[in-house]
Amino acid sequence: MKFDTPAGQNPIDQLKVVGRPTDRIDGKFKTTGTAPYAYERHDVAPHQAYGYIVGSAIAKGRITSMDLSAAKAAPGVVTIVSTLDMPKLPVSKRNIAPLFGGAEIDHYHQAIALVVAETFEQARAAANLVRVQYARTPGRFDFAALAPTAPLEGGSSGEGSGAPPVDRVGNFEGAFAAAPVKLDATYTTPDETHAMMEPFASIAAWQGDKVTVWTSNQMITWAKEDLAKTLSISADNVRIDSPYIGGGFGGKLFLRTDATLAALGAKASGRPVKVAMQRPLMINNSTHRSATIQRIRIGATRDGTITAIAHESTSGNLPHGKPETAVSQTKLLYAGANRLTSMRLAVMDLPEGNAMRAPGEAPGLMALEIAMDEMAEKLGMDPIDFRVKNDTQVDPEKPERKYSQRQLIECMRQGADRFGWSKRNPKPAQVRDGQWLIGMGMAAGFRNNMLTKSGAKVSLDHRGVVTVRTDMTDIGTGTYTIIAQTAAEMMGLPIDRVVVLLGDSDFPASAGSGGQWGANNSTAGVYAACIKLRETVAQKLGFNSGDVEFSGGKVRAGNRSVALGDAAKGGDIHVEDHIEYGDLGKQYQQSTFAGHFVEAAVNAYTGETRIRRMLAVCAAGRILNPKSARSQVIGAMTMGVGAALMEELAVDKRFGFFVNHDLATYEVPVHADIPHQEVIFLDEADAISSPMKAKGVGELGICGVGAAIANAVYNATGVRVRDYPITLDKHLDRLPAIA
Ligand code: MOS
């Protein structure tokens, strides 16, 4: 089905099942431990051996020798696959750092061997006996030192945010110079890691030339293509299966060494091999969100009209890597006749930078939305009024492109009402509660809505049970449930008459889970397949009229009513279709919006920050399941708290690695850090986005949160911190006098 004109009335609009706060259909499996994650799939292949990854102890240089003799002689060892056994493996389309092969080392903890043994403990013990000699060469590890000379570089995150090296509208410099009120400030965000609960994990088994990999991956089709490329085999010989995933946040968008080495280890040992990447290896072996230095300049008239806006961002990455696209939202969020955005990329030898939840916008808004707060203060305006004044209903760079829907003002206004914004004292450091300094802050949230092809197969049996198959994934987001809701709505069934099977590359290729595009596109693909199933059923049952109704497990037209399952009396019916898109995405700017509100308390003595309340008001098209959507948003808000207050990879600039490479030292929020959180969804349906009229919320929830916290902290203390995370050392010596 091609979606190239705005959606009219369709069966989803009934909202009998879709749009309801439905419990997860996979919830009972997860809470009873019966949903098998990749490493637990003991039953899929017999006689599994355990692989343990050895990571490089240097960041740059080459291996001069590797002594495996002691490791090979250790108890239980089956085989050892060494990087010296093979040339550098081809780098797949979506990887930047080579995953394995050869003596060259491009980053710390690059995989250099897989020890395969009968038990995990034996593999680990033997891995400790591998002796490696290296020749180190100097590397580029100091981002702050490299940034000033970094060249311009454009790029896209591949996820809907991107920018050319330089983009200009009007005359920024002239307008900025002439502006009566202006801000010129620089903000920094650190390197961050996904820190998902489930590590990278895979089991691989070969049958002749064919390999099956039971793994944990967000994008099944990408994994299939990229593993084939890395192993130099045909994609037809690769099967990927990933039905349950314990979080990804972008870390599992790409093929990683667990899958690659499980396949190589299984080949070498002639039996299935399972590999879970050790937690201490995950951070330097995989991808991370790159640190940024962002300069923002805003010029405005005295009444608060932006006349000039510039956002220039620098980040670092390995050779052939792309910049963090932190300027992308600044191209779209606010009006202003004279505009400049640019990106610079420092080539470095730290591990690969790549997508992490809302790449681009998440760190970009952490800077832009502090700048907007600072500018509002200079103008003596309320921060919401300043944003409202500079709202735009068109793409400010290409005014002929309207937003399909944009209710940012409504998000901020409703949020203000609900949060009690009118009680905020605009003068900072005025409100106290015992030893705590209290502040309120807000920020706009913004993230694009990506349209991408997605397919599904739907089947009907004689009992009237519908089974959906698609290689779409559920990374903890609720995909199983919204897909079941979609098929139930389309076929006129209760949700318990729908079976959903996901994550298998033998199923039709889907959008996958990334860039908050999963929900809208994957359900639209199911919608397309169900339209076909409805036509097939109607035809089989001899209904010729156009207005056949599917409801209550029956198919009706006129006064004739037949059980849905009767259509499959002669055998199961299978149909397949996909959604693909015309150019509505070009004609219209499609985005999602939020107003984020935070109340923070800063201890006047110690400088520690505690979040007291958080509210997000979201406008993101039709909300397919308010319960799972809310979970997505509060999870993202929580991640925003981490980004604002604690998350930071510490770089060892001499030896070139992220020092805090485990969950003991890379701090993420815990329950005690998270206060009352509230989420409100505006009632929307965007007919431009798809037949589902939905968009995404999984990344919108983090976009803007960091700045809302920073602005609340400033309102509490009167000390502006422009360097994330906002740890107590950054404002302690500037807090208001205690006595
Ligand atoms: Mo997202 S960074 O595509 O998981």
Side-chain angles (χ1 to χ4, degrees):
M1 173 184 290
K2 186 150 189 186
F3 183 75
D4 52 9
T5 51
Q9 188 83 10
N10 70 43
I12 297 296
D13 296 323
Q14 300 171 97
L15 299 179
K16 290 181 188 162
V17 196
V18 169
R20 306 272 170 138
T22 308
D23 288 349
R24 288 173 193 235
I25 62 172
D26 52 329
K28 56 182 175 290
F29 306 125
K30 290 186 170 168
T31 51
T32 56
T34 51
Y37 289 81
Y39 201 66
E40 304 163 340
R41 302 196 67 183
H42 313 295
D43 56 332
V44 292
H47 202 43
Q48 298 173 6
Y50 291 78
Y52 194 92
I53 302 171
V54 180
S56 167
I58 65 164
K60 187 77 187 154
R62 63 195 324 271
I63 298 170
T64 53
S65 72
M66 203 184 307
D67 178 359
L68 302 177
S69 51
K72 277 187 171 158
V77 170
V78 175
T79 191
I80 299 177
V81 181
S82 153
T83 193
L84 301 181
D85 294 344
M86 59 196 80
K88 189 184 280 191
L89 298 181
V91 179
S92 78
K93 184 169 162 192
R94 300 168 188 91
N95 288 114
I96 295 165
L99 293 179
F100 200 67
E104 299 299 322
I105 300 299
D106 294 301
H107 65 88
Y108 189 78
H109 274 175
Q110 178 178 320
I112 58 170
L114 183 78
V115 178
V116 180
E118 296 294 340
T119 69
F120 171 79
E121 291 76 11
Q122 288 172 331
R124 181 176 58 187
N128 283 323
L129 300 174
V130 173
R131 291 287 167 266
V132 188
Q133 300 296 323
Y134 303 93
R136 279 178 58 206
T137 51
R140 297 155 288 187
F141 307 127
D142 187 345
F143 174 53
L146 294 162
T149 54
L152 290 162
E153 175 89 36
S156 152
S157 69
E159 281 209 331
S161 71
V166 182
D167 217 358
R168 288 180 172 278
V169 175
N171 170 7
F172 168 77
E173 283 79 2
F176 185 70
V181 183
K182 51 189 140 195
L183 170 82
D184 181 348
T186 297
Y187 308 86
T188 62
T189 62
D191 296 289
E192 295 171 359
T193 186
H194 309 84
M196 57 283 196
M197 189 84 83
E198 184 202 21
F200 301 105
S202 296
I203 299 171
W206 291 83
Q207 279 187 304
D209 293 341
K210 292 186 192 293
V211 66
T212 301
V213 183
W214 296 271
T215 188
S216 182
N217 190 290
Q218 299 173 220
M219 300 293 296
I220 301 303
T221 310
W222 292 4
K224 182 180 161 111
E225 289 173 5
D226 290 350
L227 184 61
K229 166 89 187 195
T230 304
L231 299 179
S232 300
I233 61 177
S234 156
D236 296 338
N237 286 335
V238 176
R239 181 178 157 227
I240 303 288
D241 190 33
S242 182
Y244 295 106
I245 297 163
F249 309 121
K252 292 178 186 163
L253 286 168
F254 311 109
L255 176 73
R256 304 287 350 145
T257 40
D258 58 312
T260 310
L261 288 180
L264 292 172
K267 185 116 214 169
S269 59
R271 61 192 268 199
V273 168
K274 61 160 65 176
V275 178
M277 191 181 294
Q278 307 91 275
R279 181 67 64 180
L281 229 60
M282 282 181 61
I283 288 165
N284 286 285
N285 182 281
S286 70
T287 63
H288 69 282
R289 193 201 296 283
S290 296
T292 64
I293 299 171
Q294 304 179 49
R295 181 186 187 195
I296 296 182
R297 285 173 286 173
I298 303 175
T301 58
R302 291 200 193 283
D303 74 347
T305 302
I306 294 175
T307 52
I309 183 164
H311 192 162
E312 296 158 286
S313 175
T314 306
S315 55
N317 212 336
L318 285 169
H320 314 297
K322 288 184 246 172
E324 177 69 35
T325 54
V327 306
S328 57
Q329 73 290 317
T330 308
K331 298 160 72 63
L332 289 160
L333 192 48
Y334 298 113
N338 302 287
R339 320 177 66 88
L340 162 66
T341 50
S342 75
M343 297 193 295
R344 291 177 182 276
L345 181 64
V347 176
M348 300 181 66
D349 299 299
L350 285 173
E352 174 179 338
N354 215 319
M356 177 168 146
R357 202 171 198 168
E361 282 94 330
L365 285 160
M366 286 167 76
L368 177 64
E369 289 297 290
I370 296 185
M372 289 296 285
D373 200 68
E374 296 201 57
M375 195 63 191
E377 187 180 36
K378 280 179 188 275
L379 289 158
M381 281 178 86
D382 177 82
I384 297 175
D385 293 340
F386 178 50
R387 287 171 173 86
V388 169
K389 190 163 189 80
N390 293 287
D391 187 55
T392 175
Q393 293 293 319
V394 299
D395 175 345
E397 291 183 350
K398 302 181 191 73
E400 67 282 4
R401 293 179 74 235
K402 291 194 172 87
Y403 276 93
S404 63
Q405 214 167 28
R406 174 169 160 136
Q407 294 205 69
L408 174 61
I409 293 177
E410 190 54 28
C411 289
M412 295 188 295
R413 293 285 188 221
Q414 250 198 55
D417 281 355
R418 288 292 282 261
F419 202 71
W421 184 253
S422 60
K423 296 195 191 77
R424 171 182 179 265
N425 189 328
K427 194 164 173 230
Q430 301 303 304
V431 183
R432 289 196 180 222
D433 179 359
Q435 59 182 316
W436 296 92
L437 309 166
I438 310 298
M440 281 192 212
M442 63 79 57
F446 176 92
R447 175 75 174 151
N448 283 328
N449 183 54
M450 288 275 285
L451 301 177
T452 177
K453 187 176 167 178
S454 193
K457 177 178 172 180
V458 288
S459 308
L460 173 70
D461 72 14
H462 67 279
R463 299 166 300 162
V465 172
V466 168
T467 302
V468 184
R469 291 178 176 84
T470 165
D471 85 359
M472 180 61 193
T473 49
D474 188 326
I475 61 174
T477 39
T479 310
Y480 278 101
T481 313
I482 56 172
I483 284 183
Q485 288 174 277
T486 302
E489 192 79 73
M490 291 300 291
M491 302 313 297
L493 292 170
I495 195 166
D496 62 6
R497 305 298 283 168
V498 179
V499 175
V500 180
L501 300 173
L502 300 180
D504 188 331
S505 63
D506 286 349
F507 301 157
S510 74
S513 297
Q516 79 169 13
W517 65 58
N520 180 50
N521 293 291
S522 71
T523 55
V526 173
Y527 171 95
C530 287
I531 290 283
K532 225 178 195 177
L533 182 59
R534 286 165 64 110
E535 288 164 5
T536 309
V537 165
Q539 201 183 25
K540 290 231 179 210
L541 295 175
F543 288 102
N544 298 317
S545 87
D547 48 338
V548 183
E549 190 195 319
F550 290 74
S551 70
K554 298 265 196 301
V555 189
R556 293 190 186 87
N559 44 23
R560 190 169 158 236
S561 168
V562 186
L564 177 66
D566 285 2
K569 266 185 175 163
D572 291 3
I573 301 173
H574 304 282
V575 302
E576 190 179 324
D577 202 2
H578 59 264
I579 193 83
E580 60 187 314
Y581 296 91
D583 65 356
L584 286 175
K586 287 206 184 82
Q587 286 175 45
Y588 294 89
Q589 176 58 36
Q590 298 194 25
S591 305
T592 63
F593 304 90
H596 285 292
F597 291 81
V598 170
E599 183 179 304
V602 178
N603 190 288
Y605 296 85
T606 66
E608 76 183 284
T609 298
R610 293 276 156 193
I611 308 290
R612 291 195 159 187
R613 293 190 291 139
M614 302 179 81
L615 166 68
V617 181
C618 302
R622 172 174 283 155
I623 300 302
L624 302 173
N625 180 342
K627 196 168 187 178
S628 53
R630 177 179 180 276
S631 288
Q632 279 298 294
V633 175
I634 64 174
M637 289 158 78
T638 302
M639 218 164 173
V641 173
L645 299 179
M646 51 194 85
E647 289 185 47
E648 175 172 27
L649 288 170
V651 180
D652 185 315
K653 297 186 185 102
R654 299 159 306 161
F655 295 107
F657 66 98
F658 298 125
V659 180
N660 45 346
H661 47 64
D662 57 38
L663 291 175
T665 52
Y666 184 81
E667 293 190 6
V668 296
V670 297
H671 284 94
D673 296 312
I674 300 304
H676 185 73
Q677 293 178 321
E678 197 182 343
V679 181
I680 295 168
F681 294 110
L682 297 189
D683 193 11
E684 276 195 350
D686 191 335
I688 308 289
S689 73
S690 84
M692 301 303 295
K693 305 176 186 173
K695 295 178 190 169
V697 296
E699 298 187 330
L700 176 65
I702 192 175
C703 291
V705 172
I709 294 169
N711 296 337
V713 168
Y714 171 74
N715 183 243
T717 63
V719 181
R720 187 62 83 172
V721 178
R722 300 184 183 86
D723 175 29
Y724 291 99
I726 306 170
T727 46
L728 59 85
D729 53 299
K730 292 176 186 164
H731 59 201
L732 185 60
D733 61 347
R734 293 183 284 158
L735 291 181
I738 288 159

